[in-house]
Amino acid sequence: MRTRHRLLACATAALFGGAGVLMAPAAAQAANLLTNPGFETGTLAGWSCAGNAGSVVSGPVHGGTRALAGAASNSDTARCAQTVSVRPGTKYTLSAWVRGSYTYLGVQGGTATWTGSAADWKQLTVSFTTGASQQSAEIYLHGWYGQGTYYADDISLDGPGGGDDTEAPSAPGNPRATGTSASGVSLAWDAASDNVGVTGYDVYRDGTLATSVTGTSATVGGLAPGTSYRFTVRAKDRAGNVSPDSATVTATTGKDDGNGGDRFIQAAPYLYLGWGNPPSPTEVMKATGIKWYTMAFILAQNGCNPAWDSQRPLTGGQDEAAIKAIRAAGGDIVPSIGGWSGNKLGPNCSTTEALAGAYQKVIDAYRLKAIDVDIENTDEFENPAVQDRILGALKIVKQNNPGLRTILTFPTLNTGPNSWGDRLIERAHELGADIDNFTIMPFNFGGQADMYGNTVKATEGLKAKLVSTFGWTDQQAYHHIGISGMNDSSDAGEVTTAQIWTQIRDWANSHDLGRLAFWAVNRDRPAWQFTSITAGFTG
């Protein structure tokens, strides 16, 4: 990545939307009026959290696979709220499962309840009656100052939907599978119509709610490889009216080769123990569900010897201790060898064989499943001899370590690889380096760049280069592509918000890319939003 030692300003944004849950068809009476009540969309869709203090986590959860985490601080209670349409003079029951100290549940301007301490999940319930002319109600949860993170899940507001609208939307049309991987299926459909307006869609997998979205596409992850699934879609409106099922679409996931599918798939944000008050990797894993980290940086020490940051020992130090903890928690790491700055192995190892030997020391030290060479700057990326040396060394270690996956990470233009990137890809083909993944870093384009649009354009440019060089199909090329972004502000002042990063992740999922990373977990505080989003990458 380009920036290594400078903590850039955070500019994240909470995600808003109108997804929802299953409601009784063709009637305004609904079992639950809340949008995204269990956070199974993997986002904060429908919820507004003050100060960006809310995030969606994969653990701990009460039901399903996601829950809300509110990072209360000394100056903020991490209040998360949602406004719904209600009927005047009507009784409603609000409930939520919560965990943590001093967690509150209530309705704005009305009644509330709270728990002083909940070491495990505890249900809070409160009832209220709307006013004689009340048309909406804001329900909320929050923690308390200095009491730390609270968790909430399976939130419910029982009662009739607001307004006099009883007309259900039409069924979504033309449902179709737009892509598959070993663990996910991407779907799209034509928009439904409604007399007032459609607010979202529920996607069902074999009759069970799988995800809720506001647009006309979705990716359903967490599926078994080589398995056939049936999907239907329902539209809904704000009053709680739900459409009939769409037509059924059947899709089969890809076969598993024992490494996460029939191809290499990895969600691995950067973790750097040499800078920026590094967080506990296992605590971040618990909070976000992330399994892999890209550990930075392996550099040269006293010639052609690998070491962390050129100074910390390869084994026996804090880096090895962190890796052991990550693995004990069910995760793994890929080392980042090289980077933008520092004393690198590529120029310091005088031959291809010597460089392969240095890589092998790292592989042997940690019994690695994958290695990443981050090739940048004039000493490696813009040096033909060093480019060839790196490619040759990767070819050697891959031949000597069956099953090892190899990654090349390098800069890009907003249209795809520059001339040095083109050369790197062409030489990888000519030398038979058998690289598993070509990961680009789509940032530092300058100014107020469209980070989503430019990332997609740069990735499509890389795809075209891989197709023309290797003779792959578009799908094969996508499988060999990775995106490594930069959360919040880049060196050039571009801003990638959490919402934009979610768009990039969803696009990567829908195109079956092989890898997703960002620089860096160290900068993803306090709610680990980008890490949580990255954990939803399924390829």
Side-chain angles (χ1 to χ4, degrees), residues 23-44:
M23 300 175 182
Q29 179 73 32
N32 188 351
L33 296 181
L34 295 177
T35 291
N36 197 16
F39 305 93
E40 294 303 310
T41 64
T43 72
L44 292 170

Side-chain angles (χ1 to χ4, degrees), residues 457-494:
K457 186 164 62 172
T459 308
E460 291 288 6
L462 173 60
K463 182 263 294 181
K465 181 62 181 178
L466 295 177
V467 168
S468 64
T469 301
F470 290 93
W472 291 333
T473 64
D474 284 2
Q475 185 179 44
Q476 288 172 320
Y478 285 131
H479 289 178
H480 288 82
I481 288 175
I483 292 173
S484 185
M486 185 175 281
N487 59 315
D488 299 324
S489 296
S490 72
D491 303 343
E494 305 144 328

Side-chain angles (χ1 to χ4, degrees), residues 96-462:
W97 288 88
V98 301
R99 180 171 174 171
S101 299
Y102 292 94
T103 305
Y104 292 74
L105 172 72
V107 56
Q108 181 65 28
T111 187
T113 186
W114 61 284
T115 177
S117 179
D120 203 352
W121 290 103
K122 179 178 181 179
Q123 190 176 35
L124 298 179
T125 302
V126 63
S127 295
F128 64 95
T129 300
T130 55
S133 60
Q134 186 174 351
Q135 300 289 331
S136 66
E138 182 185 55
I139 68 97
Y140 64 83
L141 296 109
H142 65 74
W144 198 247
Y145 300 103
Q147 296 301 314
T149 299
Y150 71 87
Y151 300 91
D153 199 2
D154 298 331
I155 308 165
S156 177
L157 179 62
D158 289 337
D164 298 322
D165 178 20
T166 60
E167 182 176 333
S170 66
N174 189 29
R176 54 205 181 271
T178 57
T180 61
S181 68
S183 59
V185 173
S186 296
L187 303 163
W189 54 89
D190 296 342
S193 60
D194 185 66
N195 62 315
V196 175
V198 172
T199 58
Y201 298 87
D202 292 330
V203 179
Y204 292 83
R205 182 195 69 229
D206 296 328
T208 300
L209 181 65
T211 189
S212 298
V213 296
T214 56
T216 55
S217 64
T219 297
V220 178
L223 307 181
T227 304
S228 180
Y229 293 92
R230 292 163 56 86
F231 299 93
T232 56
V233 185
R234 295 178 185 175
K236 70 279 192 94
D237 62 22
R238 174 57 67 185
N241 302 306
V242 179
S243 78
D245 286 337
S246 71
T248 300
V249 59
T250 301
T252 301
T253 51
K255 295 181 179 179
D256 193 345
D257 67 352
N259 194 43
D262 54 357
R263 56 193 177 85
F264 180 50
I265 304 172
Q266 186 185 80
Y270 279 76
L271 177 66
Y272 188 21
L273 298 188
W275 159 80
N277 186 25
S280 163
T282 53
E283 289 300 315
V284 176
M285 291 171 71
K286 291 177 184 177
T288 66
I290 202 70
K291 295 296 184 183
W292 280 77
Y293 290 103
T294 302
M295 291 276 289
F297 291 96
I298 295 288
L299 296 171
Q301 182 182 49
N302 300 323
C304 188
N305 299 305
W308 293 104
D309 268 1
S310 293
Q311 53 187 336
R312 300 191 304 278
L314 194 60
T315 59
Q318 64 180 18
D319 302 90
E320 182 183 26
I323 292 170
K324 287 181 177 179
I326 291 166
R327 287 177 167 172
D332 210 341
I333 69 103
V334 54
S336 177
I337 302 173
W340 174 254
S341 60
N343 200 27
K344 302 164 194 171
L345 289 168
N348 278 279
C349 298
S350 58
T351 66
T352 299
E353 292 72 21
L355 182 57
Y359 291 167
Q360 191 64 50
K361 289 180 182 178
V362 184
I363 295 166
D364 291 342
Y366 297 110
R367 303 182 306 280
L368 295 173
K369 299 175 183 176
I371 62 171
D372 167 50
V373 178
D374 188 337
I375 178 170
E376 303 187 46
N377 221 322
T378 56
D379 56 351
E380 289 192 310
F381 186 58
E382 298 178 12
N383 186 319
V386 175
Q387 272 200 10
D388 288 358
R389 191 177 302 154
I390 289 170
L391 291 167
L394 288 174
K395 179 179 180 179
I396 291 172
V397 296
K398 189 161 188 182
Q399 291 171 340
N400 292 339
N401 299 271
L404 180 75
R405 303 290 191 159
T406 55
I407 305 160
L408 281 174
T409 299
F410 53 98
T412 183
L413 302 174
N414 64 357
T415 54
N418 65 10
S419 60
W420 289 106
D422 285 343
R423 183 194 185 278
L424 184 68
I425 294 166
E426 291 162 2
R427 291 296 289 160
H429 176 58
E430 293 163 2
L431 295 173
D434 193 21
I435 303 299
D436 289 285
N437 188 276
F438 295 88
T439 295
I440 54 171
M441 296 182 289
F443 52 82
N444 283 355
F445 302 128
Q448 302 299 313
D450 172 6
M451 295 309 290
Y452 171 74
N454 281 326
T455 296
V456 170
K457 186 164 62 172
T459 308
E460 291 288 6
L462 173 60

